[in-house]
Amino acid sequence: MFDSAQLPKIVAMALILLAASPAAAEDGHRLWLRYDPVETPLRQRYAAHVSELVIDAHGPMANAAASELKRGLSGLLAQSIPARAQVDRDGAVIVALAGSPELRLLHLRTSGLGTEGYAIRSATLDGHTATVIAANSERGLLYGTFALLRRIQTHQSLVQLNLRDAPALSLRMLDHWDNLNGFVERGYAGKSLWDWGALPQHVDRRYSDYARANASIGVNGAVLNNVNASAQILTPAYLRKVKALADTFRPWGVRVYLSARFSAPIEIGGLKTADPLNLAVRRWWRAKADDIYRLIPDFGGFLIKANSEGQPGPQDYHRSHAEGANMLADALRPHGGVVLWRAFVYASSDKDRAKEAYDEFKPLDGEFARNVIVQVKNGPVDFQPREPFSPLFGAMPHTPLAMEVEITKEYLGFNTHLAYLGTMWEEVLKSRTARPNPASIVADSLSAMAGVANTGTDRNWSGSQFDQANWYAFGRLAWNPRASSRAIAEEWARMTWGNDPRLVATVVRMMMSSRQAVVDYMTPLGLAHQMGTGHHYGPAPWVDDQQRAEWNPVYYNRADSNGIGFDRTATGSNAVAQYAPPIAMRFANLRTVGDDYLLWFHHVPWDFPMPSGKPLWHELIARYDRGVATVDAMAQTWASLQAYVDPERFQDTADYLRIQGQEARWWRDASIAYWQSVSHLPLPAGVRPPEHALAYYKSLSFPEAPGQ
Ligand code: GCW
């Protein structure tokens, strides 16, 4: 029987149990938007600047900004922040659109901020100190809000602020390779976020969380479906589902785009052709666009993969890429939509694959309609751990270009390998094109950036804790392609792991060396595409039996008893000639090309003396060893951070680093075993021989590979 005298004891015990039970699991679900309380005394200093909220802007995005400020500030300062109609004390945070009385009083000018920029200024209003977030648009206010919160999250001062910022590129997009059956092509973070079966009736909470995370890093567009597209997405039933997503994303400033299948007029329109010059086809697309805009007035437009890897396209009707793109552009133009037309094409079997996109698209410069953007992968081949920049950047002065990068790590070890890609993208964005000016860089040639998303239904969104950093870095670099990847890593580390200086410095150090480590243990010195067939996981430099030449790793490594690497100079494919003369000269010369692109551009004898003094054969092996050593060092470094990190996320990362260590060895050993079978050279003294014979590595099949 229940004895009431026991009650206080029971309550006390329950309280003890509650206190001892862990708080909500630290599974990484909150991303970089954690908003845990800042420690005192810093918190008190911030509190002096944040006593109340005065919102002088209305509309869905302004409301989202207001709710985010409330949520973020009350979390970070561990107190609720009241909203007021007017400033009535020191420390107000004011959110105001251009033309509002507050901004007029303060003479705060918003000219130059464009439609997405913001200003944040410390001010005195009605005798009270205040911090003002100002913009020309609600979207600008949203970005200003996240910028202010980020300052507190990263422990920066709020004193005497006078900040202005606006994005350099107007389109900052995530491309989802999500199929309608829930499978994500090259996705390593679970299934697709979009639950097509339950939409539009059920709108999952995650959709707005997703859009909110994008808003926090300035991403303003999302292509919902795979570029290997199903025409079904354009049917009325699916468009109603798409509308539900668009409605959910809108308050966070994210517009929806769709991948369109070029042959949709045949598949779902009942036409006999998809010829872009056929009148019925043109009419069909116009009507389709009208239908979409009736449902989604701010629909962004179409992304197209045409005549690439078996996808249909205008060349099926002997029309050019420009004719195909312009037909869709005509349909979207009355509504303000754009066509993102991908330049990822390779079809000819007797040509260097690295030359194909340039050869096909460069002659079309000037032929595209004004609302077409040509979307070019960062490198000339395909999202490898390292490639030189695509020669199309700077080569199409009359065509807006988007740079497409792959956030999901298809060729960099999937989700278990820690590789911070900010450094890779910075390297590409800052590469000198010398077009049109001697000092021009890739970033100068861009109108947009698109990142192939790494999001999925995993609790941590991206497949690993550290893969979140790549989503984050993509957004920040798309906002400012001249930003420093180190500064972005630091920002992310502070927001995600904590502000302790030792923790921050260590995490940033790991991140900054991580991508080079992957290059070293997978494809050192400019090698590329040595991954297993189809899945692209694990080493397979020996593969030579694929139907098309350029599907075989041997096509890329060209290793033989004389040497290794792809001659892309005048004695070979002459791909170097696609670059501006000063760049071409640098790449073409063995002495100036540099280690990073050596084997990308040259077939080099095994005994070639490297700048280190070693012959190439020895240097190559040293690079594999360096890659393995860096991963081991990362694992040790991470172990030293145990006291700074919550147990769940600590363990996730430690486990993955262990897998990465095993797989780095697998890559090293399998690659060296194969090169040795071709070079017939002995291993340098003191070098650890591969653990197994080559036959063993060849016999492994995915997913039996070590660590799987
Ligand atoms: O890297 C390759 C991928 C394909 C992808 C293709 C592309 C969507 O292996 O999975 O298809 O690129 O970018 O179109």
Side-chain angles (χ1 to χ4, degrees):
M1 255 202 61
F2 183 69
D3 175 358
S4 62
Q6 295 287 332
L7 192 59
K9 222 168 151 188
I10 294 171
V11 171
M13 273 182 56
L15 283 177
I16 289 168
L17 276 174
L18 261 180
S21 74
E26 283 287 13
D27 52 16
H29 191 67
R30 293 185 295 164
L31 294 163
W32 47 87
L33 300 171
R34 296 164 63 79
Y35 300 149
D36 288 337
V38 175
E39 304 77 36
T40 49
L42 190 56
R43 187 155 87 217
Q44 271 119 18
R45 268 189 267 148
Y46 283 131
H49 297 276
V50 182
S51 63
E52 62 183 8
L53 286 180
V54 178
I55 312 285
D56 193 2
H58 304 282
M61 287 186 233
N63 295 346
S67 79
E68 190 68 22
L69 270 178
K70 219 170 161 42
R71 172 181 182 161
L73 294 175
S74 51
L76 289 160
L77 303 185
Q79 65 185 71
S80 78
I81 314 290
R84 302 259 187 259
Q86 270 167 357
V87 176
D88 64 5
R89 66 185 80 174
D90 279 352
V93 174
I94 303 171
V95 176
L97 277 177
S100 71
E102 292 87 352
L103 300 196
R104 257 181 280 133
L105 269 174
L106 292 171
H107 303 291
L108 204 162
R109 301 174 68 89
T110 56
S111 55
L113 295 176
T115 55
E116 295 190 293
Y118 59 83
I120 303 180
R121 168 98 73 83
S122 305
T124 306
L125 204 70
D126 298 339
H128 294 294
T129 60
T131 304
V132 186
I133 304 176
N136 290 315
S137 67
E138 287 183 56
R139 195 188 257 117
L141 295 179
L142 194 54
Y143 296 148
T145 289
F146 280 110
L148 182 70
L149 290 169
R150 188 158 56 233
R151 284 192 78 79
I152 303 178
Q153 288 176 282
T154 56
H155 289 192
Q156 294 178 71
S157 161
L158 296 187
V159 177
Q160 293 191 2
L161 296 182
N162 189 5
L163 310 168
R164 297 169 77 82
D165 201 4
L169 307 178
S170 57
L171 291 187
R172 306 173 299 278
M173 331 231 322
L174 287 189
D175 289 2
H176 292 270
W177 286 356
D178 293 20
N179 294 334
L180 304 186
N181 64 4
F183 177 80
V184 181
E185 181 158 345
R186 312 306 178 183
Y188 315 108
K191 293 185 66 184
S192 170
L193 287 169
W194 327 132
D195 185 353
W196 295 113
L199 280 164
Q201 289 90 341
H202 176 65
V203 177
D204 196 291
R205 174 75 216 274
R206 277 199 169 207
Y207 305 151
S208 57
D209 287 344
Y210 158 85
R212 171 175 163 257
N214 276 334
S216 76
I217 52 175
V219 167
N220 66 1
V223 183
L224 299 180
N225 60 318
N226 192 351
V227 286
N228 293 331
S230 156
Q232 289 303 311
I233 194 84
L234 298 174
T235 58
Y238 269 96
L239 290 176
R240 281 192 292 277
K241 299 169 192 282
V242 172
K243 172 188 161 49
L245 288 174
D247 291 345
T248 312
F249 296 175
R250 191 169 295 114
W252 299 103
V254 178
R255 285 169 138 202
V256 154
Y257 297 67
L258 292 176
S259 292
R261 185 165 166 85
F262 201 78
S263 52
I266 303 174
E267 285 143 6
I268 59 166
L271 301 185
K272 295 238 158 12
T273 174
D275 180 350
L277 300 193
N278 177 291
L279 276 183
V281 170
R282 302 178 73 84
R283 228 178 288 124
W284 187 87
W285 280 110
R286 264 204 306 275
K288 186 50 72 186
D290 295 347
D291 289 348
I292 296 176
Y293 280 92
R294 223 168 284 127
L295 287 170
I296 308 166
D298 58 351
F299 180 68
F302 293 137
L303 170 65
I304 318 284
K305 173 176 178 177
N307 295 121
S308 161
E309 298 186 331
Q311 295 299 310
Q315 292 176 343
D316 302 347
Y317 308 95
H318 309 288
R319 313 293 184 200
S320 72
H321 281 287
E323 285 169 317
N326 293 349
M327 181 264 299
L328 292 171
D330 285 348
L332 294 169
R333 188 176 309 107
H335 309 284
V338 299
V339 172
L340 292 140
W341 190 273
R342 296 176 89 225
F344 176 65
V345 292
Y346 63 102
S348 122
S349 47
D350 54 354
K351 198 180 228 177
D352 174 2
R353 174 172 170 188
K355 291 175 68 175
E356 293 195 49
Y358 180 99
D359 281 352
E360 211 164 323
F361 278 80
K362 162 83 183 149
L364 298 176
D365 188 28
E367 288 189 23
F368 289 98
R370 291 252 293 278
N371 55 333
V372 175
I373 300 174
V374 170
Q375 184 161 310
V376 181
K377 287 191 181 183
N378 59 268
V381 170
D382 194 5
F383 297 141
Q384 295 304 297
R386 174 170 276 129
E387 293 185 41
F389 67 93
S390 162
L392 278 169
F393 296 119
M396 294 188 67
H398 306 295
T399 311
L401 296 183
M403 179 164 109
E404 180 178 314
V405 298
E406 202 177 39
I407 306 173
T408 188
K409 303 205 312 298
E410 173 182 358
Y411 293 99
L412 288 101
F414 297 3
N415 58 316
T416 44
H417 293 213
L418 196 164
Y420 170 57
L421 303 182
T423 48
M424 166 154 87
W425 302 330
E426 180 178 13
E427 178 179 298
V428 180
L429 287 163
K430 292 186 178 159
S431 291
R432 197 160 75 91
T433 61
R435 286 176 172 143
N437 307 312
S440 298
I441 58 173
V442 168
D444 298 324
S445 69
L446 301 181
S447 301
M449 261 179 86
V452 180
N454 68 352
T455 49
T457 50
D458 273 9
R459 281 293 297 168
N460 65 33
W461 296 90
S462 297
S464 81
Q465 306 299 339
F466 272 87
D467 278 340
Q468 297 177 354
N470 293 329
W471 181 9
Y472 185 86
F474 168 77
R476 301 290 286 145
L477 281 169
W479 178 278
N480 176 10
R482 285 185 168 68
S484 132
S485 61
R486 176 181 293 277
I488 293 172
E490 177 173 336
E491 228 174 60
W492 176 82
R494 287 176 178 274
M495 293 162 83
T496 305
W497 298 106
N499 280 284
D500 183 284
R502 169 142 186 251
L503 172 69
V504 174
T506 313
V507 168
V508 170
R509 206 175 343 109
M510 281 173 62
M511 291 169 76
M512 293 306 288
S513 61
S514 59
R515 177 266 187 153
Q516 181 63 43
V518 176
V519 170
D520 284 342
Y521 65 73
M522 285 190 185
T523 49
L525 297 174
L527 288 171
H529 231 306
Q530 300 301 294
M531 295 78 190
T533 305
H535 47 70
H536 298 158
Y537 197 79
W542 48 82
V543 169
D544 60 359
D545 59 357
Q546 297 300 298
Q547 185 198 337
R548 283 175 57 166
E550 74 281 7
W551 288 348
N552 292 293
V554 296
Y555 169 89
Y556 298 93
N557 67 53
R558 315 231 152 177
D560 56 25
S561 55
N562 300 319
I564 180 170
F566 198 132
D567 183 3
R568 293 190 162 107
T569 68
T571 52
S573 76
N574 205 22
V576 287
Q578 294 181 335
Y579 292 93
I583 311 300
M585 268 163 61
R586 174 155 57 84
F587 288 158
N589 185 330
L590 261 178
R591 295 281 155 212
T592 54
V593 61
D595 293 355
D596 289 345
Y597 305 131
L598 179 68
L599 305 180
W600 182 278
F601 286 113
H602 298 269
H603 188 76
V604 185
W606 294 111
D607 61 358
F608 176 77
M610 295 291 289
S612 65
K614 294 190 186 113
L616 171 66
W617 171 238
H618 291 203
E619 182 69 37
L620 187 66
I621 292 170
R623 293 300 170 113
Y624 287 107
D625 280 329
R626 186 174 81 174
V628 172
T630 307
V631 178
D632 287 348
M634 283 203 291
Q636 269 168 23
T637 307
W638 184 251
S640 77
L641 293 179
Q642 184 154 18
Y644 297 84
V645 177
D646 51 90
E648 291 93 338
R649 293 188 302 161
F650 176 80
Q651 198 56 48
D652 285 358
T653 305
D655 292 348
Y656 280 8
L657 283 167
R658 200 167 327 109
I659 296 173
Q660 187 176 7
Q662 286 161 10
E663 297 189 347
R665 284 177 175 72
W666 171 32
W667 265 97
R668 171 207 183 270
D669 288 0
S671 305
I672 293 176
Y674 176 66
W675 306 135
Q676 211 181 1
S677 78
V678 186
S679 72
H680 308 295
L681 292 169
L683 291 178
V687 164
R688 178 178 67 75
E691 200 178 330
H692 302 278
L694 178 59
Y696 166 80
Y697 297 107
K698 286 187 173 180
S699 76
L700 294 176
S701 69
F702 187 80
E704 290 162 31
Q708 290 304 298

